[in-house]
Amino acid sequence: MSAGGALLLSFMGAGQASAVAPATDPAPSCVTAYESWRYTQVENACAETMSLQVVYQDGAEGPCHTVRSGDVTTIGEGYLGPHGHVHHVAVCAAPVSATGVAPVG
């Protein structure tokens, strides 16, 4: 993905108003999100593997994905999807399976 094709998301700083109350803990600063019209990708520069999900501006949450340390991977839809822009990337509260997706039900 080219730098021109992605929007580097900055995580909201303390004191800024938020339209969505996070349902899950925001990812640490070593996780960087890139949003384009079609996809949302994350780069995990943390020392450990993390289970991450997109939280959109409308409050919808994407599925959990396992992202290994040093990896860049697609974890959600872009801003033209049904939920709009990404609000933040969160650490999943639920454990994930070996396939990298949280079990349903």
Side-chain angles (χ1 to χ4, degrees):
M1 179 158 90
S2 71
L7 171 64
L8 176 63
L9 296 176
S10 61
F11 293 98
M12 298 181 74
Q16 287 184 313
S18 171
V20 177
T24 54
D25 292 331
S29 61
C30 52
V31 173
T32 305
Y34 305 93
E35 181 183 26
S36 73
W37 66 274
R38 192 167 179 186
Y39 300 111
T40 298
Q41 296 183 311
V42 292
E43 177 178 8
N44 180 4
C46 304
E48 67 277 345
T49 296
M50 304 200 65
S51 178
L52 302 169
Q53 72 182 141
V54 176
V55 178
Y56 296 95
Q57 285 181 328
D58 69 356
E61 296 180 358
C64 293
H65 295 271
T66 299
V67 184
R68 286 179 255 173
S69 178
D71 281 0
V72 175
T73 190
T74 300
I75 67 166
E77 299 171 348
Y79 55 81
L80 288 183
H83 303 293
H85 287 281
V86 172
H87 182 269
H88 68 279
V89 173
V91 176
C92 293
V96 295
S97 69
T99 63
V101 178
V104 177

